[in-house]
Amino acid sequence: MTKYIIHGGKPLFGEVEISGAKNAAVAIIPAALMVNGVCRIENIPQISDVTMSLKILEQLGARIRSVNRHTVEIDSRHIYSTKTSYELARKIRASYYLIGALLGRFGDAEVALPGGCNFGGARPIDQHIKGFTALGARVTVEGGFIHASAEGRKLKGANIYLDVVSVGATMNIMMAAAMAQGNTVIENAAKEPHIVDLANFLNSMGANIRGAGTDTIKIQGVDHLTGGTYAIIPDQIEAGTYMAAVAATGGQVLVKNIIPKHMDCITAKLQECGVEVDEHEDTLLVRRCGPLHKANIKTLPYPGFPTDMQPQMTTVLALAEGTSLVTEGVWSSRYRYVDELKRMGARIQVDDKTAVVEGVDHLTGAPIQASDLRAGAALVIAALAAHGESEISQVQYIERGYEDIVNKLRSLGADIRAVDVPDEDLDLTAHIS
Ligand code: EPZ
C-alpha cells in the first residue's frame, strides 16, 4: 500500500498538463463493446479505474492493444460473454455502463451490482432500470447481479422522462437505445461534458444521437456500429483540482489541455474567492497572491457547480477570510472528509447537506485518510497548503481518478512523495467513481 508524505506551505508554480476525463473514459470504454470492429481511443487517462475497465472488457472477449501510454485499441468483434465476473465488476461503480453497452448490442447483460458507497449515502440505479424497462428489457436483480435481457427480441425506442437528472442513467440509456428499433427520447437528461463526449463517440462509430448537452436527447436506432478513432475530452475535475490547489497554496500555474467552457463555473467561483484566472484557447493561467475571500457554493448538475469539486473547494474555503456556506445539491451526503480537515485545524460544521466553513489562518499537517476519490484530492490540497508534514493513507482511491498526481505536483514545486508501506486491510469495493 502507498501513502503520500507531503510537506506543505509551498506555493505552486509552473505548468500542468490535464489528462483525459475519467468519467468519459469509464463510459466510452464499455461503449466500445457495442462496436463490431476496432475502436482506437486516444487521450485515455492512465488511472486504475481505466485499467480495471479494460480488464473487464478483456474478460468478456475484447482484445485490447496499448498503442502508447494514452491510446488503446479495443477489438470487440469476438465477445463471447455478456456476464461480467463479480470480482472485477464490483470494484468500480462505473461497471454499470456495461449493462447499457451489452444490452444495447447483444440484448443481454449480467453485471455485478456496483459496490457500496463511501459518500455515506445511497446510490440508487432505479432510473437506469426504468430506462432499460421502457426500451423493452426485463430487468431482475438476483444474487448480487443485475440481469437485463431483451429476451430474444429487439429493444424498441421509447420516450423516457428521468425523474432525477442522472449522469449514469442518461449515458446508460443512450447506449441501450443506440441500436434499438426506432426512436428514443430522453427527457430531463443530464448535460455534463462527458455525456456529450459519449454521444460524440457513439456517433463517430455510426450512431445517430442528437441533443446531447441539452436536457432532451433524441436517439434514432441504427443497425450496427463500426470501428473508428476517437479522442476523449480533457478532465474538467482534474483541471479544477489543480486550480483549487493553486488557490489554497498560492503561486501561479498554467493549466494546459483544457476546454475553458467546461471550467466556467469553477473559474467563476475561484475568481469570487480572489483567485485570478486568465482564459486562453486551451489553457488557464491561475494565480493567487492575496488573501482568499469567502464564497457560497451549491452543487448542481451541469452547468451548475460540480459536486465532484465540492470537497476540493470546501478545503479552499477553509482557508478563506470569513464564513462560507457549502450546500451539496446532488448527493444526499458527501462530507466524510470534513472530519479529516478538522483534524488539521479547519473549522467546519456539517448539518445535513450544508457545511458552514469558518475560514482559518492556516491548517496544520497531520496523518489523514482518504475515504473516496475527491475526498482524497481535497486532503492532498489541504496538506499542500498546511504548515508541516501530512501523511495521507488510502491513496489508492486518489489514483483511481488522478493520473500521475505525485509527479504532476512535484513538477509544480510541491514537496510530495509516495512511499510504500506494508499492506493494511483495505476494502476497495467501497470506493465509488
Ligand atoms: C456520476 O455518478 C459520476 N460518476 C460521479 O463522479 C458524479 O458525482 C455524479 O455523476 C454526479 O455528477 C461517473 O461518471 C462514473 P448520478 P452517477 O446518476 O452517474 C440520484 C467522481 O468523483 N439517482 O448523476 O452515479 C443519485 O442518488 C464521481 O468522479 C437516483 O436517484 O451519478 C444522486 O443523488 C463520484 N436514481 C443523483 O441522482 C438513479 O437511478 C445524481 O446521480 C440514479 C441517480
Side-chain angles (χ1 to χ4, degrees), residues 177-380:
M179 285 191 269
Q181 219 168 43
N183 297 328
T184 297
V185 180
I186 310 173
E187 302 266 22
N188 199 25
K191 297 180 277 212
E192 270 67 4
H194 29 293
I195 292 187
V196 179
D197 211 32
L198 175 65
N200 287 343
F201 167 79
L202 290 169
N203 284 343
S204 73
M205 304 293 149
N208 187 346
I209 302 174
R210 299 287 167 257
T214 75
D215 47 24
T216 304
I217 300 179
K218 296 183 175 164
I219 304 150
Q220 197 179 327
V222 296
D223 283 345
H224 59 272
L225 301 180
T226 48
T229 297
Y230 190 79
I232 288 176
I233 52 166
D235 197 309
Q236 174 206 30
I237 305 299
E238 189 198 13
T241 300
Y242 283 98
M243 292 167 78
V246 180
T249 61
Q252 176 173 303
V253 169
L254 186 69
V255 183
K256 293 165 70 175
N257 182 35
I258 49 108
I259 297 174
K261 182 80 199 135
H262 294 169
M263 307 309 302
D264 278 354
C265 53
I266 300 170
T267 297
K269 197 47 76 177
L270 284 170
Q271 286 171 332
E272 203 180 316
C273 295
V275 179
E276 289 170 45
V277 184
D278 297 331
E279 184 181 307
H280 304 281
E281 200 184 337
D282 62 353
T283 60
L284 289 175
L285 185 65
V286 187
R287 186 184 318 119
R288 204 267 284 172
C289 311
L292 289 165
H293 311 312
K294 66 178 181 174
N296 295 337
I297 292 178
K298 177 163 186 178
T299 68
L300 289 168
Y302 191 83
F305 192 88
T307 171
D308 295 344
M309 277 299 297
Q310 182 257 97
Q312 303 90 312
M313 274 308 290
T314 302
T315 305
V316 172
L317 296 174
L319 291 161
E321 288 175 345
T323 301
S324 307
L325 287 184
V326 178
T327 308
E328 177 54 50
V330 175
W331 295 108
S332 57
S333 169
R334 201 175 188 173
Y335 289 116
R336 289 190 60 187
Y337 62 93
V338 163
D339 282 343
E340 299 300 278
L341 289 184
K342 281 163 100 170
R343 296 178 59 248
M344 301 176 78
R347 286 202 204 119
I348 305 175
Q349 290 309 321
V350 176
D351 182 10
D352 192 24
K353 292 187 167 200
T354 303
V356 181
V357 187
E358 198 187 321
V360 294
D361 175 61
H362 68 272
L363 299 174
T364 313
I368 39 181
Q369 186 170 309
S371 54
D372 70 61
L373 170 61
R374 308 303 173 190
L379 297 184
V380 169

Side-chain angles (χ1 to χ4, degrees), residues 364-422:
T364 313
I368 39 181
Q369 186 170 309
S371 54
D372 70 61
L373 170 61
R374 308 303 173 190
L379 297 184
V380 169
I381 293 171
L384 290 170
H387 294 181
E389 182 183 288
S390 297
E391 186 181 292
I392 307 183
S393 54
Q394 308 279 49
V395 301
Q396 292 85 340
Y397 294 138
I398 302 171
E399 293 177 354
R400 290 188 144 193
Y402 288 91
E403 175 174 332
D404 213 9
I405 187 168
V406 169
N407 286 325
K408 286 188 184 185
L409 285 169
R410 283 172 74 88
S411 76
L412 298 176
D415 185 347
I416 173 171
R417 67 198 157 89
V419 293
D420 285 330
V421 291

Side-chain angles (χ1 to χ4, degrees), residues 22 96 123 125-127 166-168 308 330-331 334 374:
K22 176 197 80 129
Y96 54 43
R123 297 200 66 191
I125 54 167
D126 56 296
Q127 296 304 305
S166 161
V167 170
D308 295 344
V330 175
W331 295 108
R334 201 175 188 173
R374 308 303 173 190

